[in-house]
Amino acid sequence: MTTSPVRRPRDRKAQLATAAADLFRRHGYHAVGVNDIAAAVGITGPGMYRHFQNKQAVLGHVLLTGVDALAARLNGVLDGFGDPESGLRPLLRAAAEISIDQRDLTALWRWQGRHLHQADQKEIIRRTGVLLGGWQAGLRRLRPELGDRDALLLCFAALSVFGSVGDHHAAPARERFVDLLADLAETAVRSPVVPSTETTAVRPRPAVAASRREELLTAATRLFRDHGFHAVSMEDIGAAAGIAGPSIYRHFAGKSDILLAASRRMADRLTLGLNDSLSEATSPRDALHRLARSYVDTVLRSDDLIAVYANEIGNLPERDAKEMRRLQRAYVAEWVRLLREVSPSLSDAEARVVVQAALTVVNDLPRTRGVNDRPRLATELTALAVGLLDSQA
């Protein structure tokens, strides 16, 4: 008797991509191996190489496929943006629906996209650039008083609103969630801006030279942000600071110690801003506005710290990671509490969506080319954040 050969499923590549996306999102890119991805769909590690060259290729496939799906759903709606007033709301609702439906993909791009092969990064930027161009052109028709740079600012602000769903787990009822995101994005694109100039914002150099420990902390934080904690060695940090790797141990016990120092510093700065805002405020709304200004100032002064604090604390020892997450949750909870006092009709989940949208706009734009050199960026970020928080009052 002869037996029929076992047939591989036609959708094995898609199965691998789906499994990898879930593993990357839950555990981080560096914590997931080829064998983990293969095992998730019931095959051996070598079997995965029939479909993908390596783990990096899987990530590229997942994100490029997601961008194509996004473009396919938005292109038709963008065509309707020819009449900006009637086309704006359908466009924003469609973008909100996609953001919610592909929430895990949004989180994957925001936090793991830096691990892509350079060619895949460039291709994603190219494809998303085409979409951004359509948004920008439509916004110029909606608001002809805007220059290209001002339209770009507001387009990126709206995209950050949609991207914010990848930074939290709040989940209002779906239709309310869609409407709320669309409302917030519309607030962003209709925000008043002062016409910009081409002047580049220059940050003043510190009057006093940093200590060696500060140089190491600054260098390490930048490397962690750009490449991820696992991809950075002590030798890399030493080279970036201009010293030999072993000399770092005079200042830090190890790489995790550097990460913990960076995380604690960010937590301390945020807590100080929160306490000052609450102690000086005359009302919950005033406290919320003061807190927004404080957060903008902290982010702009903290350069890479905020990105590392948001994305890398899972690489700390478990006890330290739990403490940092507790501080993060407590900080956001104060924003939510204040917003619910100002807007009592909002549920806790809805208030969290609004707060996270405001925080994400402030986090994203200072690291966005074409936007981060604006001379009035601090004022504009504060206005955008306050506008989003006030939009549901």
Side-chain angles (χ1 to χ4, degrees):
M1 177 183 293
T2 60
T3 58
S4 301
V6 176
R7 295 182 178 179
R8 291 192 295 270
R10 291 183 179 180
D11 63 346
R12 179 70 81 199
K13 185 172 185 176
Q15 289 179 349
L16 287 165
T18 300
D22 179 61
L23 290 169
F24 291 153
R25 178 187 58 79
R26 288 192 289 117
H27 304 294
Y29 177 80
H30 284 289
V32 176
V34 167
N35 289 335
D36 298 321
I37 299 170
V41 299
I43 64 174
T44 63
M48 200 188 87
Y49 291 109
R50 299 190 185 102
H51 306 279
F52 295 103
Q53 184 178 6
N54 51 36
K55 184 176 71 169
Q56 196 175 41
V58 185
L59 180 62
H61 175 80
V62 168
L63 291 176
L64 283 166
T65 302
V67 169
D68 288 343
L70 171 68
R73 290 185 63 178
L74 280 184
N75 279 335
V77 190
L78 273 170
D79 292 341
F81 209 10
D83 181 354
E85 285 295 345
S86 63
L88 177 62
R89 191 67 184 183
L91 173 62
L92 298 180
R93 278 190 57 85
E97 290 171 352
I98 295 167
S99 299
I100 295 167
D101 292 343
Q102 298 188 354
R103 195 173 192 174
D104 289 346
L105 186 67
T106 299
L108 193 62
W109 165 245
R110 287 181 61 79
W111 301 119
Q112 308 299 332
R114 61 188 168 175
H115 302 303
L116 286 168
H117 188 278
Q118 188 175 22
D120 286 338
Q121 284 186 339
K122 289 182 178 179
E123 181 59 20
I124 287 178
I125 291 171
R126 185 193 69 78
R127 296 185 194 183
T128 54
V130 173
L131 282 175
L132 181 62
W135 279 77
Q136 192 175 0
L139 183 55
R140 288 294 306 279
R141 290 192 293 272
L142 177 70
R143 299 185 59 184
E145 79 279 8
L146 295 177
D148 284 338
R149 284 169 56 83
D150 298 323
L152 188 66
L153 170 74
L154 300 186
C155 282
F156 274 123
L159 292 176
S160 290
V161 167
F162 295 127
S164 68
V165 301
D167 294 346
H168 63 90
H169 301 289
R174 178 181 167 78
E175 279 305 301
R176 174 57 177 152
F177 201 174
V178 170
D179 283 336
L180 185 54
L181 277 182
D183 287 345
L184 293 169
E186 184 165 0
T187 296
V189 299
R190 293 189 183 277
S191 295
V193 294
V194 176
S196 67
T197 69
E198 296 302 318
T199 303
T200 299
V202 179
R203 294 178 183 173
R205 294 184 178 181
V208 180
S211 68
R212 179 64 77 188
R213 188 178 191 277
E214 286 301 306
E215 289 177 347
L216 288 166
L217 188 60
T218 299
T221 306
R222 172 60 58 87
L223 290 170
F224 293 159
R225 189 205 75 175
D226 289 345
H227 306 291
F229 178 80
H230 289 285
V232 176
S233 68
M234 293 293 270
E235 288 72 22
D236 295 329
I237 296 168
I243 67 173
S247 299
I248 301 175
Y249 294 102
R250 299 174 186 170
H251 306 279
F252 295 99
K255 198 168 66 165
S256 292
D257 192 38
I258 302 175
L259 178 58
L260 180 58
S263 300
R264 282 178 172 164
R265 176 163 298 181
M266 192 70 237
D268 288 344
R269 290 182 180 180
L270 293 175
T271 300
L272 179 62
L274 171 64
N275 292 340
D276 286 346
S277 298
L278 293 176
S279 65
E280 297 169 3
T282 58
S283 67
R285 185 185 298 275
D286 182 46
L288 203 55
H289 290 187
R290 287 175 181 272
L291 191 51
R293 288 194 295 271
S294 167
Y295 189 71
V296 168
D297 179 65
T298 302
V299 168
L300 291 179
R301 286 189 300 108
S302 300
D303 292 329
D304 307 313
L305 280 173
I306 189 67
V308 171
Y309 185 58
N311 191 41
E312 297 292 346
I313 62 173
N315 295 308
L316 289 169
E318 184 177 1
R319 184 180 65 180
D320 295 326
K322 285 182 177 180
E323 175 62 12
M324 290 299 105
R325 289 196 179 98
R326 184 192 68 77
L327 292 173
Q328 286 181 343
R329 289 193 295 268
Y331 180 74
V332 173
E334 284 299 299
W335 286 70
V336 171
R337 178 184 66 80
L338 290 169
L339 181 57
R340 294 194 70 191
E341 288 189 28
V342 173
S343 305
S345 63
L346 291 176
S347 68
D348 184 81
E350 292 165 352
R352 287 180 184 277
V353 170
V354 177
V355 165
Q356 290 289 351
L359 295 177
T360 302
V361 167
V362 176
N363 292 342
D364 283 356
L365 297 190
R367 300 196 298 270
T368 302
R369 290 182 181 179
V371 171
N372 58 5
D373 62 348
R374 294 174 68 89
R376 292 172 50 82
L377 184 60
T379 300
E380 291 166 337
L381 286 175
T382 302
L384 283 165
V386 168
L388 292 172
L389 294 168
D390 285 349
S391 67
Q392 301 302 306

